[in-house]
Amino acid sequence: MEGTNQTAVIEFVLLGLSDYPKLETIFFVLVLWMYLVILGGNGVLIIVTIYDSHLHTPMYFFLGNLSFLDICYTTSTVPLTLDSFLTPRKAISFSSCAVQMFLSFATGATECALLSVMAFDRYVAICKPLRYPVIMNKGTYVSMASVSWAAGVLDSIVQTSLVVQLTFCMDVIDHFICEIPAVLKLACGDISINVLSMAGSNFIFLVIPLISISISYIFILVAILRIPSTKGRCKAFSTCSAHLTVVIIFCGTIFFMYAKPRSKGSVRADGDITNKFITLFYSVVTPMLNPIIYSLRNKDVKAAVKNILSQKPFH
């Protein structure tokens, strides 16, 4: 459908891995298995953080939000990705494509903001332990999570609205999903406003959170080094290691994908296959690792899960 404009584009075609047919079956099985792990692992974390009163703390409240975000994000992208592995040329309507762009961008931006908030929570817990219950009271941490959600949704509305107003010369998306960078490649008009808007979004939801997280962990590291006992230092660091690992994995891949310098030419010149696998990594692998990372060495979560499995009442 080359040479057409936006009014003529009523649907897009997702190519997925159609150029690599031998990989499609393998990736279908792998992604399906990881998606089931995501639903199960994050679902368990949400259940235990709601029903176990011992986990009614700011850290586990944020963790429950993070798990819910991971389920929402993967559910908005993975089913279509799986379908693209089975159907080489999967058609998606223009409106459905816009909805998917909105959902994936909103959840991604919200998760970046939430990870920053979680770093602040760890800073207060370790650097100001005596004031922690006062600073991180219920009203505060609920408000912080709410602002993260609202900011992510608002930013996604802006970015998605700018994309759907573009004119398009092609209707074939060389990707698994309708992701904003992939859709921008089809635009035949001026996308400078989109580039500037994305740059602003990157600064707010990637650069600022990473700076905030870095500052928090500098203070945390200084506080940990001042702890006299080795056991105390290890215990303090273990409360932050899971969050720091998730930040490095998630924000690292997101930053590589969205924060690269872009122009009208560079958007179309990116290595498509590389971007596909980067997207697959942060949209499937990272959400799968989150519950594993947070619960693997977490005695509280393990105890809560055992209570559920043994059907013991929570106290």
Side-chain angles (χ1 to χ4, degrees):
M1 193 181 278
E2 296 189 14
T4 60
N5 56 34
Q6 182 182 357
T7 57
V9 176
I10 58 175
E11 66 178 19
F12 291 108
V13 174
L14 298 166
L15 294 184
L17 285 176
S18 57
D19 292 336
Y20 307 89
K22 294 183 179 180
L23 294 178
E24 289 185 318
T25 302
I26 297 174
F27 273 90
F28 176 83
V29 174
L30 287 175
V31 173
L32 177 60
W33 177 79
M34 287 188 286
Y35 182 51
L36 295 176
V37 173
I38 290 168
L39 295 179
N42 286 287
V44 168
L45 278 178
I46 293 173
I47 291 172
V48 298
T49 55
I50 292 175
Y51 290 103
D52 192 335
S53 60
H54 296 99
L55 303 184
H56 290 177
T57 63
M59 181 179 72
Y60 291 109
F61 175 78
F62 293 137
L63 181 56
N65 274 261
L66 186 65
S67 295
F68 182 68
L69 269 172
D70 286 338
I71 291 176
C72 290
Y73 179 75
T74 53
T75 301
S76 71
T77 59
V78 171
L80 190 61
T81 300
L82 291 172
D83 192 49
S84 71
F85 291 143
L86 299 178
T87 310
R89 291 179 62 86
K90 169 64 179 176
I92 180 173
S93 68
F94 188 89
S95 58
S96 296
C97 184
V99 169
Q100 188 175 67
M101 284 190 292
F102 167 76
L103 290 175
S104 60
F105 201 92
T107 50
T110 302
E111 184 154 345
C112 289
L114 193 61
L115 288 172
S116 177
V117 168
M118 294 173 73
F120 176 76
D121 172 69
R122 291 300 83 205
Y123 158 75
V124 177
I126 293 176
C127 299
K128 301 180 183 295
L130 297 179
R131 298 187 59 194
Y132 182 76
V134 177
I135 297 175
M136 296 301 294
N137 58 70
K138 186 174 183 179
T140 299
Y141 66 75
V142 170
S143 297
M144 293 170 77
S146 300
V147 170
S148 298
W149 279 92
V153 170
L154 180 61
D155 184 50
S156 185
I157 291 175
V158 172
Q159 303 305 326
T160 306
S161 297
L162 289 175
V163 173
V164 299
Q165 293 178 34
L166 294 171
T167 56
F168 298 98
C169 298
M170 296 180 291
D171 65 348
V172 178
I173 301 176
D174 192 9
H175 213 313
F176 306 116
I177 61 174
C178 283
E179 194 174 49
I180 289 179
V183 176
L184 285 178
K185 296 178 184 181
L186 310 182
C188 52
D190 183 15
I191 61 169
S192 58
I193 294 179
N194 300 79
V195 172
L196 290 174
S197 181
M198 287 288 288
S201 176
N202 291 336
F203 181 78
I204 295 172
F205 289 94
L206 282 176
V207 178
I208 291 180
L210 285 175
I211 292 174
S212 174
I213 291 169
S214 299
I215 292 174
S216 295
Y217 274 102
I218 289 173
F219 283 107
I220 288 172
L221 180 61
V222 171
I224 290 176
L225 293 176
R226 289 176 179 173
I227 299 175
S229 67
T230 303
K231 183 178 180 180
R233 288 195 297 269
C234 292
K235 183 178 180 180
F237 183 76
S238 67
T239 64
C240 304
S241 58
H243 173 261
L244 191 58
T245 303
V246 170
V247 168
I248 293 172
I249 294 174
F250 180 78
C251 289
T253 50
I254 290 286
F255 193 86
F256 182 84
M257 186 68 181
Y258 282 92
K260 292 179 292 184
R262 293 181 181 274
S263 64
K264 183 175 180 179
S266 67
V267 167
R268 297 186 179 114
D270 287 337
D272 289 325
I273 188 63
T274 301
N275 291 341
K276 288 179 185 180
F277 286 117
I278 293 173
T279 300
L280 201 61
F281 185 86
Y282 72 70
S283 64
V284 182
V285 178
T286 303
M288 181 190 69
L289 292 177
N290 283 354
I292 298 174
I293 292 171
Y294 276 106
S295 61
L296 192 61
R297 297 175 59 188
N298 193 308
K299 295 180 180 179
D300 293 334
V301 173
K302 288 181 179 179
V305 172
K306 288 181 180 179
N307 284 339
I308 293 177
L309 295 177
S310 61
Q311 297 183 344
K312 293 180 180 179
F314 294 117
H315 301 288

